[in-house]
Amino acid sequence: MSIAIDTELTVVQQLAALAFGVSESGLSKDLREDVARRVLDLLGNSVAARDETPAKAVTAVVKNWGGHEFATGIGTGAKFPAAAAALVNGTLAHSMDSDDTHLPSVLHPSASVIPAALAVAEAIGASAEAMLDASGVGIEVAVRLGMGGYDEELGNSEFFERGLHATSICGAIGAAVAAAMVYRLTADQIAHAAGIAASMGAGLIEANRTGGTVKRAHCGWAAHSGVSAAELAKNGLTGPPTVIEGRFGFLYAYCGERSNAAAVVDRLGEHWELPGVFFKPYPCNHFTHAGIDAALEIRAQGVLPEQIESIELGVSGPILRTIAQPVEEKARPRSGYHAAFSGPYTVAAALSGGSGLGVGHHDFTDEAAKDEQRLALAAKVTCVEDERCNKIYPYQFPAVLRVVTTNGSRHEVRVDFNRGGPGNPLSAEELVTKFKLNADSKLGAEQASIIAEQAIALAHGGSLTELMNQLRG
C-alpha cells in the first residue's frame, strides 16, 4: 500500500502523516494479516514468560500502583490502567528473548509496540482492525528510527556500538505512535506523542554480556512510555518539531555524527519494512540462531556429542561481543537466561538434542544450564570472527560451524540466511506450532488452540474483546 507524504515536513511530522493516513484508510489486507501473525507470536512469548521473575516483579509493582481496571495483564488474571498493562505485557513479550527482529537495525519492534496498542484498544473498546493498523505503523516507525542509527560504512548499528538498546529506545516512539493512533489523535498530536516519547526511551545492553534481568523489562517500559506519551499529547503536552533530526534531537543525541535522518523517511509511505521483520524460531538471542541451525544440520548428519573432539563457531565480529565474551561467562552460563546469550551453550544444546522447533524453553532453564554434559560440550566450542559473515552482517546474522570428531572426520555447515526471515521464512503452521509450544503448558492445549485461532482471525473481523477475555482467564 502507498500513502503520499509531504517531504517538506520535519521527520516526526512525516512519520505522523503516515500514521494519520493509515488511521483514515487502514492497512492493506496483507499487512494486517502480517501484524495478526505478530500478535499471535507475541502472545505466545508472553504466556510463556508469565512465571518468570521479571514478569512477577513488574506485575507486583503495577498491582501496588492501583488505578482503573481498563486493560488486561496477560496471564495475570487482572486488569490495570492502560499504561500499566502495557508495562506488564511488554515485559512479558521480551522476557523469553523470542520476539521478532528487524535487520539491519538489530531491534525487536513488536514487543514494545503491540502491548501499547493492545492496552489502549482494550481500554477504550477500539476495534481489532484499529489495533492492527496502529501496531503495523508503530513497528514501521520503530525500525525506521533504528535504521537512522545504522551506519553502512561501520556495518553495524551505532546504537549497538555504544551499548544502547535500540529496541527500547526506538520502541518507545513506535509505541507512542501506535497508542496515539488507537486514541484517534490528529496528525499534530501524533507528532507530539512521538516527540514526548523521545525523551522517555532508554536501555543499556550490558546485561547481554555479564548478566542481570533488567533487559527483560526494557520493552515493558518502552510500551508504558508510549502509552503515557500519547495520553500526555492527548491532554495538551507538546514535543519539538525537529525532535528526530535536530542538533539536540533523538538521532544526534544517541548516535552522533553517524546518524542518518534521511534513512528514517526513505520511501516512507511507499516501501514497508514491516513484512521483512524476522520471526524467531528459538527462544534465545538472535545472534545465536544461525549457529543453532548449523548444529542441527550437523546433528542430522549423524554426529553424536560423545564423538566430538572440537567445535569452531564462526560469526561476524560485532556478534562476538554478545555471544562469545567474556569467554568464561559464555562457556559456563550462570543461569538459563544467560545461556540464551551464549554461542557455545546454544550450539551444545542443539547438538545434544534440543527441543521444540530445534531448541526450546526446556533448553534454557537454570537446570539445563547446569547440565555438565552440555557444559563439557560447550567448553569445546571456540568462537572466531569469520570474514564471510562480516560481509553479510547485519542484513543477516550468519554463522559457520566446524566440527572435528574423535576419529578425525570434519564437518562444516554454513548458514547465511537466518531461519524465520524473508530468505528462510517460518510457515504459518510453524508459527502456530511455536505458539502452542509456548502456551500449551501454561493454558492447556484447548485454550491455546482457541487463542491461536482468535489471534489470526483479528485480521478478518475477529473480536479483540473475546481474545483478551481468553488471555485473562
Side-chain angles (χ1 to χ4, degrees):
M1 65 175 294
S2 179
I3 291 181
I5 305 294
D6 181 357
T7 57
E8 296 300 313
L9 299 172
T10 68
V11 172
V12 76
Q13 288 167 350
Q14 290 184 57
L15 295 174
L18 175 70
F20 187 74
V22 172
S23 289
E24 294 293 295
S25 66
L27 286 177
S28 63
K29 177 176 177 290
D30 59 330
L31 289 179
R32 272 188 184 165
E33 289 174 345
D34 180 272
V35 179
R37 289 191 291 271
R38 298 189 188 282
V39 172
L40 171 69
D41 191 55
L42 177 136
L43 295 178
N45 298 334
S46 300
V47 169
R50 72 181 191 182
D51 296 326
E52 297 292 310
T53 299
K56 289 182 176 179
V58 169
T59 301
V61 169
V62 165
K63 284 182 175 179
N64 284 334
W65 286 349
H68 295 290
E69 298 180 350
F70 286 146
T72 299
I74 296 170
T76 66
K79 282 188 170 185
F80 308 103
L87 172 57
V88 171
N89 295 339
T91 300
L92 287 164
H94 192 54
S95 280
M96 306 307 289
D97 224 86
S98 196
D99 39 333
D100 60 7
T101 308
H102 177 262
L103 304 180
S105 67
V106 196
L107 58 80
H108 309 288
S110 292
S112 298
V113 172
I114 293 175
L118 273 175
V120 175
E122 185 180 10
I124 67 171
S127 68
E129 290 86 354
M131 184 276 296
L132 294 175
D133 293 344
S135 295
V137 175
I139 291 169
E140 186 75 15
V141 167
V143 300
R144 283 177 169 274
L145 289 169
M147 288 301 298
Y150 173 68
D151 186 86
E152 190 74 42
E153 182 180 350
L154 179 68
N156 201 16
S157 165
E158 185 64 17
F159 288 102
F160 188 78
E161 286 289 323
R162 296 176 180 226
L164 298 168
H165 196 193
T167 290
S168 51
I169 296 168
C170 301
I173 299 178
V177 169
M181 287 178 65
V182 179
Y183 275 129
R184 301 291 296 177
L185 301 191
T186 66
D188 284 344
Q189 289 174 314
I190 295 171
H192 288 314
I196 295 164
S199 288
M200 296 179 170
L204 303 176
I205 54 173
E206 182 64 14
N208 284 5
R209 297 181 69 252
T210 57
T213 56
V214 62
K215 178 179 174 288
R216 303 201 206 187
H218 282 183
C219 291
W221 196 252
H224 178 274
S225 298
V227 174
S228 299
E231 291 176 346
L232 289 167
K234 183 182 177 193
N235 284 279
L237 199 67
T238 60
T242 54
V243 68
I244 305 300
E245 72 273 30
R247 172 61 182 84
F248 297 114
F250 178 83
L251 285 176
Y252 195 88
Y254 283 114
C255 301
E257 298 290 347
R258 291 189 181 272
S259 61
N260 181 8
V264 179
V265 292
D266 178 39
R267 296 176 293 159
L268 184 69
E270 301 173 10
H271 167 76
W272 287 81
E273 292 289 326
L274 169 64
V277 179
F278 288 58
F279 288 98
K280 292 173 70 173
Y282 315 124
C284 49
N285 181 264
H286 211 155
F287 289 158
T288 69
H289 283 211
I292 293 170
D293 289 339
L296 293 171
E297 175 60 29
I298 286 176
R299 193 181 88 196
Q301 294 173 8
V303 177
L304 301 175
E306 58 268 23
Q307 297 172 327
I308 295 174
E309 180 73 27
S310 65
I311 306 169
E312 183 179 85
L313 173 62
V315 296
S316 67
I319 285 177
L320 288 172
R321 288 172 290 185
T322 296
I323 71 169
Q325 300 166 0
V327 174
E328 61 279 5
E329 291 277 350
K330 302 305 178 180
R332 294 188 70 87
R334 64 181 72 182
S335 72
Y337 182 69
H338 301 135
F341 294 84
S342 165
Y345 177 88
T346 50
V347 164
L351 288 169
S352 298
S355 59
L357 293 170
V359 297
H361 295 298
H362 293 304
D363 298 297
F364 299 103
T365 64
D366 290 346
E367 292 74 21
K370 294 174 184 176
D371 182 271
E372 287 300 331
Q373 289 184 323
R374 287 191 180 189
L375 293 175
L377 192 57
K380 296 179 181 181
V381 179
T382 301
C383 298
V384 299
E385 185 171 356
D386 180 80
E387 187 55 37
R388 178 167 161 181
C389 291
N390 281 338
K391 292 178 180 178
I392 298 171
Y393 176 89
Y395 292 95
Q396 298 281 335
F397 295 156
V400 56
L401 197 66
R402 303 180 179 95
V403 172
V404 179
T405 64
T406 51
N407 66 6
S409 66
R410 297 176 180 272
H411 302 260
E412 178 175 320
V413 173
R414 186 176 285 275
V415 175
D416 290 341
F417 294 94
N418 302 115
R419 187 180 178 199
N424 190 7
L426 294 180
S427 68
E429 292 75 17
E430 286 176 315
L431 283 170
V432 171
T433 296
K434 178 186 172 184
F435 174 83
K436 290 183 176 180
L437 287 168
N438 280 326
D440 279 7
S441 64
K442 305 290 185 179
L443 303 176
E446 182 178 354
Q447 189 181 9
S449 293
I450 292 171
I451 290 172
E453 291 174 4
Q454 290 179 335
I456 294 298
L458 291 177
H460 307 284
S463 170
L464 182 60
T465 299
E466 290 180 10
L467 173 63
M468 300 313 291
N469 286 341
Q470 287 288 338
L471 288 164
R472 193 167 56 255

